Amino acid sequence: SQLASSQPRSEEFDEVVLATQANVSSRILRTECSATVAALNVFEYETHRVVLHTDERLMPAVQSDWSPLNIQTSPGASGAASVTVWMNRIDAHLRAALTRPVFQTW
């Protein structure tokens, strides 16, 4: 494979790993291999809003029940759920730098 960049040179590699979602990789790749493009285009995606916040009401009422990953479901809703990640717990740098809990919810 040949890797081109914004620099005036290109380099040759035996293999190239694209560490990104399939739809992004499909747009990045310039290949004649239709099987590769077809395989990448099979994946379906959903659009979700992700919010970074400090609202502890989205966590269990008792803090000792908090987990790094908390899933809330709505009774009666057809599979509706929200996921809240306790960012301080999953990242040591954030744990040291932040003075209050920070969450990411979608």
Side-chain angles (χ1 to χ4, degrees), residues 13-58:
F13 296 92
D14 293 331
E15 302 286 336
V16 175
V17 175
L18 296 176
T20 186
Q21 292 174 293
N23 60 343
V24 175
S25 293
S26 180
R27 289 194 306 264
I28 292 171
L29 284 176
R30 292 187 182 143
T31 180
E32 299 298 318
C33 181
S34 59
T36 299
V37 173
L40 291 170
N41 290 333
V42 167
F43 294 91
E44 296 180 14
Y45 295 89
E46 297 177 3
T47 300
H48 295 279
R49 177 177 292 168
V50 178
V51 180
L52 189 64
H53 61 90
T54 59
D55 190 349
E56 296 179 14
R57 293 176 295 175
L58 293 172

Side-chain angles (χ1 to χ4, degrees), residues 37-100:
V37 173
L40 291 170
N41 290 333
V42 167
F43 294 91
E44 296 180 14
Y45 295 89
E46 297 177 3
T47 300
H48 295 279
R49 177 177 292 168
V50 178
V51 180
L52 189 64
H53 61 90
T54 59
D55 190 349
E56 296 179 14
R57 293 176 295 175
L58 293 172
M59 298 296 281
V62 178
Q63 189 170 6
S64 62
D65 292 337
W66 289 12
S67 172
L69 181 65
N70 295 273
I71 301 171
Q72 241 180 6
T73 58
S74 302
S78 58
S82 67
V83 177
T84 299
V85 177
W86 184 9
M87 301 302 292
N88 310 58
R89 289 288 295 188
I90 64 167
D91 187 312
H93 297 292
L94 289 176
R95 195 168 30 253
L98 298 172
T99 58
R100 62 188 292 191

